[in-house]
Amino acid sequence: MAESSANRSGSARGLYGAEPDNYLTHTRGVASWLFTLDHKRIGVLYMVGVLASFLLGGILALLIRTELLRPEAFIMKADMYNTLFTLHGAIMIFLFIIPGTPGSIGNFVLPLMLGAKDVAFPRLNLASFYMWLVGAVFSLLAIVMGGVDTGWTFYTPYSTTTNSAVIPVVFGIFLIGFSSIFTGINFIVTIHKLRPPGMTWFRMPLMLWSLYATSIIQVLATPVLGITLLLLIAERVLHVGIFTPAYGGDPILYQHFFWFYSHPAVYIMILPAMGIISEVIPTFSRKHIFGYTFIAYSSIAIAVISFLVWGHHMFASGMSYMAAAIFSALTFAVAIPSAVKVFNWLATLYKGSISLATPMCYALGFLFLFGIGGLTGLFLGALAVDIHLTATYFIVAHFHYVMFGGAVMGFMAGIHYWWPKIFGRMYNDRLGQIACLMIFVGFNATFFPQFVAGSQGLPRRYFQYPQQYQWYNVFSTVGSYLLAAGFFLVAGYLLYSLVRGRQAPANPWGSATLEWQTTSPPPVENFAEQPEAGDPYDYSNLVYDAVEGGYIARGPSQGGTNG
Amino acid sequence: MGKTHASSPLPPVEAGHNPHLAHHFDTEQQQFESVKLGMWIFLATEVLLFSGLFCAYAVYRSNHPEVFRWAHVFLNVKLGAINTVVLITSSLSMAWAVRAAQLGQQRLLKICLVLTLIGAMGFLGIKYVEYKNKWHEGLLWAGRYQPTAEAQQELLHAGQRHGQVSAPATAPREAPQSAPATEGDGLKIERSLILLPAEGPAGLKAAGVGRVAQLSQQVPKQLWWFFGIYFLMTGLHGIHVIGGIGAISWLLVRSMKGQFGPRYYTPVDLVGLYWHLVDVIWIFLFPLLYLIR
Amino acid sequence: MAEAKNLPRGDLPTGARQHGPATGHVVSVRILLGVWALLLVLTLLTVQTVISPWADFGSRMDLYIALAIATVKAALVLLYFMHLRYDSPLNAMWFIFALFFVALFIGGLIGDSQQYQSDLIPGYAPAMNP
C-alpha cells in the first residue's frame, strides 16, 4: 500500500509548497476567527471559553474551601458565601461542563471521525457558540451586579423573592440552553446524514454514539429548562403566581420542572466523557473494544432512562410517597447501563498491552473515580437512606465524584488525546502523568472526607459548622489546593507545548479512527483525500514508525472483529 | 482498516455547480433532507418548550377544576373561535405558498405569503382586543388580580345561571390583596392566617383538607390561577406568532427578489413548518382555555 | 472500491433519488383545500360540543372529546400541511418520540401533584389553601 502524503511528517504542503497549511494558519486575523464557519475553529473557540469558565469556577471553589477552613466566619460574610457557592455551581454546570465536551472536543472531532468536511449546519454551529458567549456575559453580569445567592438550583420561593441578581443569571442560562439545543440538532443531523460510505451505525466510533445520545438529551430536555427559567423570570417580574405560595403557586411544581431537565442534564455531562473513555482505553490497550454493541446500546439506554428518574432529587421536598417510591426504583435502573460500560472497559483492559500515556492515566483515573461516584449514587437512590443523606456533604461528594471525577477526568483525557490533532504539537508526557497524579490525589483528598462528613451529618451550603467537622474541612481544603496545583501544571505544559512542543505526527497514539488519517493539525477541508471507513478499533496494521514519530498503516488490516 | 490508496483527491467544484449546495454536502437531496430533519428536531424542542405550560395547566386544572370552570366565563368563545379559523386559514395560505414556490409560481407565492401575514396580524389584533378587555376588567395574573365590580357581578350572575350560587349577589367581595411590594421583592405574609405549629396537624382534621367540596357552593377565590396560565400560554404563543411574522416578512422580501423556485425553496418550506406548528399549538390551546363548560 | 465513493453518505435518501434537484413532494390543491375544510368543520364541531346544551357530557368528557378532536386536527396539519405523510419517516419518528416525553412529563406531574394535595396544610400558604 502506498503511503499517502498525509502520513508523512505530519504536515501537508500548502498551495505553494512552502509552509504547512492547516485550519489554524489558512486565514489570519481576528475577524477570520470571529466569523468562522469551520467546525475546528469553533471547537477551539469553545475550548478557550469553557476553560476560562473552568478557571473562574475553580477560583470560586478555592475561595469557598478557604472560607471553610474555620468553623466560624473566616474571610467573608454569610451573604458572600451564599453568592460564591451559587456562582460556583452555576458557572461550572452551565458554562463549563454542559457545553464543555460537546462544544469543544465534540465539534472538533465529530466531522473528522465521519470523514466529513464539516457539521451539517456550520452557521448554526457558530450561532451556538455566540449564544454561549452572550449567555456567559449575562451570567457574569450577575457577578458585577452583586451576585446571586439562591443556590444553582434557584428554588422558589426564595429565588422569586430575594433581592439578588437572579434575572441576569437565569436569562444567561436560558441563552446557553439555546446553545445546547443548536449543538444537539447539529450533531444528530450530522450523524444521520453525513456518515461516509461503509460506516453503518454499528461501525461508528463509540464516541459518536455517545455524542448522539448526548444530543438526544440536549434537544429534548433543554427546552423544559427554558420554559422553567422563563416562568421564573415572569414570576419575579410580573408575580404570575405559579411557583410562589404567597401568590398561590406551588414550589414543588418548580422543583419538578427544574429537575425534569437537570437530571437528564447530568447525563449530558457524563456521556461525552464516557465516549472519550471508549476511544482512549482501546487505543492505549492496543486491543479492540470489548462489547461494542453493548456500549452503543447502553448510551441510548442511559439517554432514555435518564428522563425517568428526576424525582430522586426531590425525595425530601414534599413530593408524594408513591412518586418517591417509583423514582427510587427507577433510579436503580439507570445505573445498569453505566455499569455495563464500566464492565466492558475493564474487559477491554484485560490482557491488553497497556501504555500509560497521559490520556490513559486520566482514563484509568476516570474508571476509579466514576466507579465511586456511581456507586454512591446508588446509596442516594435508596429512598430511606437518601432522607438522611440529602442536603449533606455526602451529596456534594457524590456529584463531585461523578461530575469532576467522571466528566472532567474524561474531558482531560480527551484534551490530552486530541491535543496533538487540534494544535499539531506534542506536550511533555512525563509532566502530564505527574499532573494527573496530583489531580487524582488532590481530588480524592478533597472529596473523600466529604462523604464521611456528610454521613455524619454535616449539611451542605452551610457557612458555619460545628467544631467537630473542622478536621474534615481542613483536609478537604488542603486537598483542593493540591488539585488546583495539578491543574496549573497542566495549563503550564499545554501552553508551553504550543510554542515549543514537538511537531505532532498524524497518528501519535496509533488509533484507528478516521481523524488520525489526516495531518495534525488538519487542513481546512479536513482531508486531502476521502478516507475509507473500516473497523474503528482494529489496530492490527498500525505500527510505530520512529522516523515519523507516530503510527502509520503498514499492510492491509487483518479485519478486526466487531463486538 | 486504514487502507489508504492513491485515489483522486476530492473533486473541485464543477462549473454549473448549484450555488445553493453547501460544500460539505454531496448532493442537494442530502442537503434538503438534512435541513428538514434539523427543522423537525427544532420543532420537537418547541413542543417541549410549550409542554411546560401545558403541564402547569394540567396540574392546576386537575387539582382545582372548579377554578377553571368559573374563570373561563370571562373568555369570549366567539373571538377564540374566530382566531382559530384565522390561524387555520393562514396555515392553508402558508402551505399553498410552499406549493407555489415548488412550482415556480412567483406571483401566487407572494400573494400567499401576504395572506398569511394578514392572518397573523389579524390573530394578534383579536388577541389585543381580548387582552385589553381583561386589563380593563382587572382579570389578570396573581400579582395584578383585581377584578372590577362589574366583573365580579358577572361572575356571580354566571354562577346563579348555572345554579352554583344560591344566595342573591351581595356586595362584591373584596379583591384579594395583591402583592404589596410590586416594585420590591419583599412579601407581606398575613401572620393571622398562619396556624401555630401545635394547631397545624390537628387543624388539618378539623378543617377538612384537600379538595374541599363546598367550593361548588360559592365562588372560588383563586381565579387568578386561571388568568395567570391563560396569559402565560397565549403570551408565549403570541411571541411565537410575532416571530413568525418576522420570518414570513423576510420570506416575502426574498421572494420579491425572485430568490425562490423549484430548485431552491427550502426557507419557504422551513418557515412553513414553523408556522404550522404555531397553528397546531393554538389548536390545542383553544379548547383547553376557551371551551370549558 | 471506487464505486463506493459514489454512494451517498449517511442514511439512504428516501426514494433512493440521488441526483437532480431536490423538489420534494408537491401537495395538490385538492388536498390543501380539503384539509382546510375538514379543519374548519372539526373546529365547528368542537365548539358546538361545548356550547350546545343538548351535548352535555360533563366537564371531564368535554375535555376528552375536545382533546380528541384537537388531536385529529393537529394530525391533519402535521400529515398534510407539514408533509409528514410524504417525508422520510425519520422526521415523524423524532416528533412522536418528543411527544412521549411530553406525555411522561405531564402525566408524572399530574400524578404526583394529585397525590400530595392531601398533605397540604390549610393556612400555611394563605393564597393557596385558605
Side-chain angles (χ1 to χ4, degrees), chain A residues 109-357:
Chain A
V109 155
L110 186 131
L112 286 171
M113 278 186 164
L114 291 175
K117 290 193 223 167
D118 210 321
V119 288
F121 308 123
R123 282 174 296 185
L124 194 67
N125 208 4
L126 187 65
S128 147
F129 175 69
Y130 277 113
M131 295 299 277
W132 179 89
L133 194 61
V134 176
V137 166
F138 266 96
S139 309
L140 296 177
L141 200 62
I143 298 182
V144 170
M145 289 170 64
V148 195
D149 61 350
T150 60
W152 78 274
T153 47
F154 305 110
Y155 278 1
T156 59
Y158 187 64
S159 60
T160 46
T161 54
T162 180
N163 277 327
S164 52
V166 173
I167 293 186
V169 172
V170 163
F171 189 67
I173 296 172
F174 177 71
L175 293 179
I176 292 178
F178 273 107
S179 164
S180 216
I181 291 174
F182 291 166
T183 301
I185 295 178
N186 235 330
F187 284 4
I188 291 173
V189 177
T190 309
I191 291 177
H192 270 287
K193 294 293 185 188
L194 289 181
R195 274 174 289 119
M199 190 186 277
T200 62
W201 280 88
F202 288 93
R203 281 166 82 76
M204 280 198 313
L206 286 167
M207 174 74 175
L208 298 183
W209 275 100
S210 292
L211 287 175
Y212 187 79
T214 308
S215 304
I216 293 179
I217 305 179
Q218 279 178 307
V219 304
L220 292 179
T222 316
V224 178
L225 178 75
I227 191 69
T228 308
L229 296 178
L230 279 184
L231 288 176
L232 196 61
I233 295 178
E235 189 86 7
R236 269 184 81 87
V237 172
L238 302 172
H239 305 296
V240 178
I242 187 170
F243 294 140
T244 318
Y247 303 127
D250 185 351
I252 300 181
L253 192 68
Y254 172 82
Q255 293 189 29
H256 273 297
F257 271 50
F258 181 80
W259 286 112
F260 188 82
Y261 162 75
S262 298
H263 186 77
V266 313
Y267 294 94
I268 297 178
M269 301 176 203
I270 196 65
L271 275 170
M274 289 174 159
I276 296 176
I277 302 301
S278 293
E279 297 301 322
V280 169
I281 285 191
T283 301
F284 292 99
S285 313
R286 310 309 297 157
K287 191 161 164 275
H288 197 288
I289 188 87
F290 189 92
Y292 175 100
T293 317
F294 276 95
I295 298 184
Y297 278 132
S298 71
S299 305
I300 305 296
I302 290 178
V304 173
I305 303 179
S306 71
F307 279 94
L308 306 178
V309 299
W310 77 91
H312 65 223
H313 299 268
M314 297 166 55
F315 284 150
S317 66
M319 199 168 61
S320 69
Y321 299 127
M322 184 183 78
I326 294 176
F327 278 121
S328 176
L330 287 170
T331 303
F332 285 94
V334 80
I336 297 175
S338 303
V340 163
K341 286 183 190 263
V342 173
F343 292 143
N344 280 300
W345 290 323
L346 291 174
T348 308
L349 287 172
Y350 180 67
K351 289 201 177 169
S353 171
I354 312 284
S355 122
L356 288 176

Side-chain angles (χ1 to χ4, degrees), chain B residues 148-247:
Chain B
T148 56
E150 295 84 15
Q152 293 179 55
Q153 284 293 340
E154 187 182 334
L155 195 58
L156 284 168
H157 285 146
Q160 282 175 308
R161 267 202 310 274
H162 292 270
Q164 301 280 343
V165 174
S166 43
T170 50
R173 60 180 172 85
E174 270 172 41
Q177 187 80 14
S178 57
T182 42
E183 55 279 339
D185 291 320
L187 273 187
K188 202 176 79 183
I189 311 267
E190 295 193 33
R191 292 283 157 193
S192 59
L193 285 178
I194 297 188
L195 302 169
L196 296 171
E199 281 183 20
L204 255 181
K205 295 208 173 22
V209 296
R211 289 149 34 169
V212 188
Q214 96 278 7
L215 280 175
S216 63
Q217 302 307 315
Q218 66 190 43
V219 179
K221 288 200 196 125
Q222 297 93 334
L223 292 188
W224 61 77
W225 280 331
F226 177 81
F227 293 109
I229 291 185
Y230 168 79
F231 278 102
L232 283 172
M233 292 182 96
T234 55
L236 187 64
H237 181 260
I239 291 175
H240 280 79
V241 171
I242 294 176
I245 289 179

Side-chain angles (χ1 to χ4, degrees), chain C residues 52-116:
Chain C
S52 55
W54 52 262
D56 188 344
F57 305 110
S59 177
R60 175 156 289 202
M61 268 314 279
D62 273 354
L63 178 65
Y64 292 156
I65 293 178
L67 279 180
I69 299 181
T71 308
V72 173
K73 287 161 76 177
L76 282 171
V77 174
L78 284 163
L79 286 171
Y80 292 101
F81 283 172
M82 294 168 94
H83 301 137
L84 267 188
R85 177 118 189 264
Y86 313 107
D87 262 357
S88 153
L90 191 59
N91 298 343
M93 258 171 54
W94 264 100
F95 197 74
I96 295 174
F97 193 51
L99 290 179
F100 274 124
F101 289 100
V102 174
L104 170 72
F105 186 39
I106 295 182
L109 261 67
I110 290 182
D112 185 43
S113 68
Q114 285 186 337
Q115 289 283 318
Y116 67 65

